[in-house]
Amino acid sequence: MNYEDFCHIATVCAEQIGSKCRRFFCPSNFMKFEKDEFGRIAILPFYLYVMRTVSLTQARIDMSELDEDADGFLQPQEMEAYIRGLIPNLAQLRDIPVPFLPMYCRIAARKFFFFCDPHRRGKLCIKKVLLSNCLAELMELHQEVEDEAAEGEQAENWFSLASAQRICDVFLSLDKDMNGTLSKQELQEYAEGTLTDIFIERVFDEHVHRSRNSSGGSGREMDFESFLDFVLALENKDTPEGLTYLFRCLDLQNRGFLTTADIHALFRDVHRKWIEGGNYDLCIEDVRDEIWDMVKPEDPLRITLQDLLQCRQGGTVASMLTDVRGFWAHDNRENLLQEEEEVEEEE
């Protein structure tokens, strides 16, 4: 539509809907959209812009109603209540089993806290939630799933029912003694046992709080919320939030940086699992030098979190140092890429 069409639609909408809709049809909004050689804008992007703006406005109203102390922040139970209220309007969640509903809300709310509460204050800034990718990902569930391919894609969405059930099933399968928490030994079975012992140890050191009932380090166990953070970090290694979580585990001395000695200590466990898996022998020093070449740290003697974020390969480096399967994927990256290209050509 051209600008004349744009103004005409604005008039019709104002007559049929009311004057409030005029804010969408100001000249500056028209200028925001890409135009063709005739000066026209595509209708769909403008429609989606209006829908998203209305959706965010409604979300802000709903969240503000749940904000009991009106401080602009949501407590965990308030965020879960917001998600519960959304479910009837999300096409892909309408068939959620009623008994699973509280568990689903806990799982869904945790992603917001992982990404929108970096300082772990236990509350969410409403403005930050509204601008987050998490809310956009949740709103994707408005769309009906039309085919198996789309269903497979949605299963990768953290907020999908399939994803929530998968995470819950994994936790239950790991919890051998069924006490509702995971010990270090139980967590070592995650991802078919490919994570290193030193990494699991560091996860408990940095991200698992000592319970009141535990008398020593061996009694410390991971609760469900901490497990969700653990999964979110591993599934989002390339994000600042995921990499920050993992860097705390890699930083063996809590100094804010990694040295060659840290890399050697971390990779030693990966190397052991690598050899146990029947792979060829490799030199730890060569891997250490490769990591240094990948990161190119500002200080040649140490790697910081900022270095990992700036090199855009921080997630790969974290995988190489914590997961033998992650190192295998890096070591075989060229073969894997070739296989993906062959599959695409066949399709």
Side-chain angles (χ1 to χ4, degrees):
M1 60 182 171
N2 59 28
Y3 186 66
E4 289 182 4
D5 299 328
F6 186 76
C7 293
H8 173 68
I9 295 170
T11 302
V12 173
C13 288
E15 291 174 354
Q16 298 185 4
I17 302 173
S19 59
K20 287 185 178 180
C21 66
R22 281 196 175 278
R23 65 191 179 102
F24 297 112
F25 293 94
C26 58
S28 59
N29 272 353
F30 185 84
M31 296 301 295
K32 289 177 183 175
F33 294 89
E34 186 179 350
K35 297 163 193 67
D36 64 11
E37 64 271 26
F38 302 108
R40 301 175 301 184
I41 65 171
I43 294 173
L44 182 58
F46 177 72
Y47 169 77
L48 293 175
Y49 157 75
V50 174
M51 291 297 293
R52 176 162 172 73
T53 304
V54 171
S55 177
L56 286 175
T57 302
Q58 186 60 54
R60 181 163 191 166
I61 293 170
D62 294 341
M63 290 181 192
S64 297
E65 288 179 349
L66 292 167
D67 180 15
E68 293 183 1
D69 52 4
D71 64 347
F73 290 83
L74 293 180
Q75 303 295 328
Q77 69 275 13
E78 293 169 343
M79 189 64 208
E80 289 177 24
Y82 169 72
I83 293 169
R84 184 187 289 264
L86 271 185
I87 288 176
N89 299 319
L90 300 176
Q92 295 180 40
L93 295 179
R94 286 175 188 154
D95 298 327
I96 187 170
V98 174
F100 188 65
L101 196 55
M103 181 62 73
Y104 173 83
C105 292
R106 284 177 70 188
I107 293 171
R110 198 63 196 176
K111 182 162 188 175
F112 285 95
F113 278 90
F114 185 82
F115 283 98
C116 302
D117 180 28
H119 301 297
R120 301 293 180 260
R121 294 182 295 177
K123 57 183 181 178
L124 295 171
C125 174
I126 291 176
K127 288 183 179 179
K128 194 164 186 176
V129 171
L130 292 170
L131 297 173
S132 70
N133 291 330
C134 297
L135 188 62
E137 187 181 355
L138 177 59
M139 292 305 179
E140 286 177 10
L141 302 185
H142 274 297
Q143 303 169 2
E144 298 278 2
V145 177
E146 297 178 355
D147 52 43
E148 291 185 5
E151 189 172 346
E153 290 177 7
Q154 283 303 322
E156 297 178 4
N157 184 322
W158 175 270
F159 299 104
S160 69
L161 180 57
S163 173
Q165 290 174 327
R166 170 183 62 84
I167 293 161
C168 195
D169 290 344
V170 169
F171 184 85
L172 292 174
S173 67
L174 292 174
D175 185 16
K176 302 298 183 185
D177 57 8
M178 297 185 289
N179 67 342
T181 58
L182 301 179
S183 65
K184 293 176 186 176
Q185 292 71 29
E186 289 171 332
L187 189 63
Q188 283 169 351
E189 299 303 314
Y190 181 83
E192 300 178 354
T194 61
L195 299 175
T196 62
D197 294 346
I198 190 173
F199 173 60
I200 297 296
E201 190 76 33
R202 290 294 296 150
V203 167
F204 272 75
D205 287 344
E206 295 296 324
H207 300 291
V208 178
H209 300 295
R210 197 182 305 276
S211 66
R212 295 176 181 176
N213 298 325
S214 63
S215 56
S218 60
R220 189 188 307 180
E221 299 216 342
M222 176 181 279
D223 61 19
F224 188 58
E225 275 67 27
S226 296
F227 175 73
L228 293 177
D229 287 345
F230 172 77
V231 175
L232 282 162
L234 291 178
E235 293 186 356
N236 297 274
K237 294 186 188 77
D238 293 314
T239 66
E241 295 81 5
L243 204 50
T244 298
Y245 179 104
L246 295 172
F247 186 81
R248 286 180 58 186
C249 302
L250 300 177
D251 183 9
L252 302 179
Q253 307 299 325
N254 294 316
R255 294 174 297 191
F257 59 85
L258 309 180
T259 63
T260 54
D262 295 323
I263 300 297
H264 192 282
L266 289 163
F267 192 73
R268 193 166 50 213
D269 263 16
V270 176
H271 180 260
R272 179 178 57 78
K273 284 181 176 285
W274 175 263
I275 297 302
E276 289 174 355
N279 297 290
Y280 68 89
D281 198 3
L282 47 81
C283 177
I284 296 179
E285 284 71 24
D286 289 344
V287 175
R288 181 196 63 197
D289 292 343
E290 183 179 2
I291 288 174
W292 236 258
D293 290 339
M294 291 167 65
V295 177
K296 295 179 176 60
E298 187 173 335
D299 184 333
L301 298 179
R302 57 181 64 174
I303 292 175
T304 65
L305 173 60
Q306 194 60 34
D307 291 328
L308 289 176
L309 291 169
Q310 288 180 346
C311 76
R312 298 184 182 278
Q313 298 190 77
T316 301
V317 171
S319 291
M320 293 170 65
L321 294 174
T322 60
D323 184 352
V324 68
R325 186 158 50 191
F327 177 75
W328 182 91
H330 173 74
D331 192 58
N332 291 271
R333 59 195 179 281
E334 293 180 1
N335 294 334
L336 293 173
L337 183 60
Q338 185 176 349
E339 288 177 8
E340 288 177 4
E341 290 174 350
E342 289 174 356
V343 170
E344 289 177 0
E345 288 176 3
E346 291 175 2
E347 291 176 351

